[in-house]
Every structure is written in C-alpha cells, then in structure tokens.
Amino acid sequence: MVNTQANLFTPLSLETAPEKSLPLLEKIQSSFKFIPNLFGTFANSPILLESYLTLNGMFEKGSLTAPERHLVLLAASIENDCNYCVAAHSTILKGVLHVPAEVVSAVRSNRPLPEPKSNALVALTREIVSKRGRVEAQTIDNFLAAGFHSDQILEILIGVALKTISNYSDHITPNELDQAFRSEA
C-alpha cells in the first residue's frame, strides 16, 4: 500500500532546514556531494537526523565489512519493500564498494548468492526482518558455520534498526529517488 500523503514532509536543503539540522546536512553533502532526499526529509526532525547518523556511525564501527554492512541494509530494505533504499544501497554496493552486479541482483531477486558467507549473512538478515527477530536455529547455525561470530548477529540488528527508521520513514512520506540512484530503481 502506498501512502497518499507523499508531501507530508518535504526534503529540506541547507537553505530551508532547521538550524539544528544544518551541521548534519553539511556533513552529508560533503560525503555524498549532494543531500539525498531521504536525509533532507529526516532534516525535518533534527533529532531523527542526528539519531540516524549516530546509529549509522556505530554500525560502521562494528566488525562487518563495508560490503557486508550494505548487504544487510539492502536485504532489510528489500524485506521492508522500500524502493528508495533498495536503489540507494544497490548503487553504493555496485558503484562505491565494487560488489559484482550479479551479487546485488541475487539479493534483489531473493536468489542464493554465489559466495556462502554472503549468502548466510543475507539469509539471516532477511529472516530477522521477516520474522521480527524470531530466527530459526538452523539459520543461525548456517551463519556461524559460514565464518561469522555470534556477536555479529547483534551487529546485524543495528543495520535492521537503521533500515526500520529509513524504510518506514519513506513509507510514511515517500521520497523522490535522487538522480544518483535512479539507475538502480
């Protein structure tokens, strides 16, 4: 079901954002070279923007690699049916992190990934989201057998929390897909 209140919140810019959002948006613009519409929408609530960026910073400090983190974010976004985040993370995986297109396509199509470790990571993430954390013991056993550690299950929860915020926000007030992400729509 698509929300009919697409304009409930509009993405804000450096010129229109609340003062408390400005330093965060400046940092985002410096990193991305533009302000993605999702972050512009988050800027309507400086506390949401700060919370999301802080949680993301903590996620980056974990033991999962950058490609693994973005596979978690992509898999969660697919399970949550968020077209904006699916396109954004597909773009980052392929363009920035140089993950092969066939890996991204497999995640997006719910097909097994060619590499067992990534496959176990994506399967666990999907199950955490789809079953609201009630993961089968076999899924966890497969994750651990693939070479991950038990504490990394808890790190995945941070990624799921990030995507709950961004995916649900985009459901409440859908964002126009930024030009940078449109090739992965």
Side-chain angles (χ1 to χ4, degrees), residues 64-123:
L64 296 173
T65 66
E68 288 169 343
R69 287 192 308 271
H70 281 277
L71 285 173
V72 166
L73 300 174
L74 176 60
S77 295
I78 290 166
E79 286 301 310
N80 284 326
D81 194 28
C82 181
N83 295 328
Y84 185 96
C85 292
V86 168
H89 292 293
S90 296
T91 300
I92 293 167
L93 279 161
K94 289 161 113 179
V96 177
L97 300 174
H98 308 292
V99 171
E102 58 271 12
V103 170
V104 175
S105 177
V107 175
R108 289 180 66 151
S109 302
N110 199 19
R111 293 188 323 261
L113 279 69
E115 198 268 310
K117 190 171 184 184
S118 296
N119 195 57
L121 174 69
V122 168

Side-chain angles (χ1 to χ4, degrees), residues 9 44 62 65 69 81 83 120 125 139 152 167 173:
F9 296 102
N44 284 277
T65 66
R69 287 192 308 271
D81 194 28
N83 295 328
T125 302
T139 306
Q152 291 174 310
N167 298 164
T173 182

Side-chain angles (χ1 to χ4, degrees), residues 30-91:
S30 174
S31 176
F32 281 87
K33 308 302 181 227
F34 70 102
I35 298 172
N37 286 329
L38 185 71
F39 290 128
T41 297
F42 285 178
N44 284 277
S45 170
I47 192 70
L48 175 64
L49 181 59
E50 182 178 4
S51 296
Y52 188 86
L53 294 175
T54 300
L55 188 58
N56 188 63
M58 297 307 295
F59 190 46
E60 290 176 355
K61 290 181 180 182
S63 63
L64 296 173
T65 66
E68 288 169 343
R69 287 192 308 271
H70 281 277
L71 285 173
V72 166
L73 300 174
L74 176 60
S77 295
I78 290 166
E79 286 301 310
N80 284 326
D81 194 28
C82 181
N83 295 328
Y84 185 96
C85 292
V86 168
H89 292 293
S90 296
T91 300

